[in-house]
Amino acid sequence: MTSAPHLMHDAEELCPAGTELYERALREGHVPAEAARAAPCLTDIGLLHPAVDDLHRLEPVVPALALHRLLRTSGERIARERRREERLAETFEPLMAVEEHHTAAFATPTLTLLSGKERINEAITETMAEASRELLTIQPRAKLTRERVEAAYAVATDRDQALLNRGGRIRTLYQHTLRHSPTTVAHHERLRGDIEARALDEITDRLIIVDRDVAFVPADGNGDLALEIRHPAIVGYLATTFDRLWRLATPVFPEAAPQPSHNGITPRQRAIAALLTEGHTDAVIADRLGMNIRTARVHIAKLAATLGSQSRAQLGYLIGQSGILDQER
């Protein structure tokens, strides 16, 4: 008769076949050795052992004795593992002390890639919550709907005001196309504290610098990725770039400075003239100056009319002859 295959189970358990066979061994005093093939778990945990006078028979072991042996074996194994843990701790302790010393002395700042607008905003908000001195930002014209712009300002207003309340200051650089934006003006008017804004025709991509310790810059073209920078040299370089652009910019808040014209040429038209002489298309000029292409073409037409140009090629020549690019802003 072929015995049924033994069911798989944990080593600490008995299967039904094992329980039945052990009860039989207790009743009869022994069982044939071949009967244990259907329940090897009995011999594995020490509830059956070979008879001294007949190796073909298995005799039951008192459960308390079998349990004591198993627990003693388990306890010895645990004790060995604990001694191994202690030896490993002793081995690694001096290494960790060396690593801690060098980490404190030569800590390597990290560049963290942030993914998703929500995660980016969370990181900026967390950093702003710890700020106490200064927020520097460069805000180019964003290709967003008015609703999304207002939502972004709503998030920024609370964290900006919290910094101002702690005695910090805020300096923001905009493109000139944003200086009269209703949402931008409203954002500044809602804030109370040391806040200034200036504008340039051309600025860099978006930049946020907090306390000159942490910077955030875009890592893609649609705002879904950003780099959080904590390297002192890189953050310092970005802050210096901001300072130089700030000195070149025109104040727009809290008091807007007038943009002087020279011989009827406005600073905006002068910026367009410079890009025209570099050979850029209308689309590139519009993008660089943060305006739509229709507005750029209106300014180009006004510039051509002021200089008396009849063609694009003649306009480039007249710009060079007029000397308007030699004028200081």
Side-chain angles (χ1 to χ4, degrees), residues 8-297:
M8 297 299 296
H9 57 80
D10 291 340
E12 297 80 14
E13 298 177 349
L14 278 180
C15 60
T19 301
E20 182 180 347
L21 184 61
Y22 183 67
E23 290 176 353
R24 174 186 167 187
L26 289 175
R27 288 194 308 269
E28 300 177 3
H30 61 82
V31 294
E34 62 182 18
R37 294 176 183 173
C41 49
L42 286 174
T43 54
D44 290 343
I45 63 177
L47 285 173
L48 291 179
H49 68 169
V52 175
D53 57 347
D54 187 352
L55 297 180
H56 296 290
R57 293 188 305 172
L58 296 175
E59 296 178 341
V61 177
V62 177
L65 178 60
L67 177 61
H68 174 72
R69 289 174 178 171
L70 289 172
L71 292 178
R72 183 179 63 191
T73 301
S74 177
E76 290 174 351
R77 185 172 62 252
I78 293 172
R80 286 196 301 272
E81 287 299 317
R82 286 177 177 170
R83 288 194 295 272
R84 181 172 179 270
E85 290 175 359
E86 292 173 357
R87 291 195 300 272
L88 287 172
E90 292 172 357
T91 300
F92 277 79
E93 184 177 7
L95 300 178
M96 289 188 291
V98 172
E99 187 270 342
E100 183 178 355
H101 170 75
H102 285 288
T103 299
F106 306 104
T108 303
T110 58
L111 300 178
T112 304
L113 182 64
L114 305 173
S115 179
K117 292 181 175 63
E118 184 176 349
R119 178 68 191 102
I120 294 169
N121 275 327
E122 286 177 356
I124 295 172
T125 300
E126 290 168 3
T127 303
M128 286 284 293
E130 300 174 356
S132 61
R133 302 190 308 275
E134 183 180 57
L135 172 66
L136 308 176
T137 67
I138 294 179
Q139 301 290 353
R141 178 175 175 267
K143 297 177 181 178
L144 302 174
T145 64
R146 181 170 180 174
E147 290 75 15
R148 291 184 62 186
V149 171
E150 290 176 346
Y153 274 132
V155 173
T157 297
D158 290 340
R159 64 191 182 201
D160 288 357
Q161 189 59 60
L163 173 62
L164 294 170
N165 292 342
R166 293 193 294 271
R169 70 173 192 168
I170 296 177
R171 300 291 182 265
T172 303
L173 273 172
Y174 294 103
Q175 283 184 291
H176 273 305
T177 48
L178 287 174
R179 62 183 297 171
H180 299 304
S181 164
T183 51
T184 301
V185 173
H187 172 68
H188 285 84
E189 290 180 343
R190 281 194 295 265
L191 296 173
R192 295 290 180 268
D194 186 358
I195 177 170
E196 290 184 36
R198 295 185 179 184
L200 281 171
D201 282 303
E202 287 191 83
I203 57 176
T204 66
D205 208 338
R206 194 174 308 279
L207 171 66
I208 297 174
I209 304 175
V210 182
D211 279 353
R212 298 183 183 250
D213 292 328
V214 186
F216 296 89
V217 298
D220 67 349
N222 55 19
D224 289 326
L225 294 175
L227 275 179
E228 177 181 323
I229 305 171
R230 293 179 178 270
H231 194 295
I234 300 176
V235 177
Y237 177 87
L238 294 172
T240 299
T241 299
F242 179 93
D243 290 338
R244 292 177 178 175
L245 292 175
W246 181 260
R247 287 193 291 270
L248 297 173
T250 302
V252 296
F253 186 88
E255 295 293 335
Q259 289 189 284
S261 62
H262 176 76
N263 294 332
I265 305 297
T266 67
R268 177 70 50 78
Q269 292 169 350
R270 190 157 55 244
I272 289 175
L275 295 173
L276 282 171
T277 59
E278 293 175 9
H280 295 298
T281 64
D282 294 354
V284 171
I285 292 172
D287 184 66
R288 290 273 293 268
L289 298 181
M291 62 182 69
N292 61 53
I293 192 169
R294 183 180 304 151
T295 302
R297 285 171 176 164

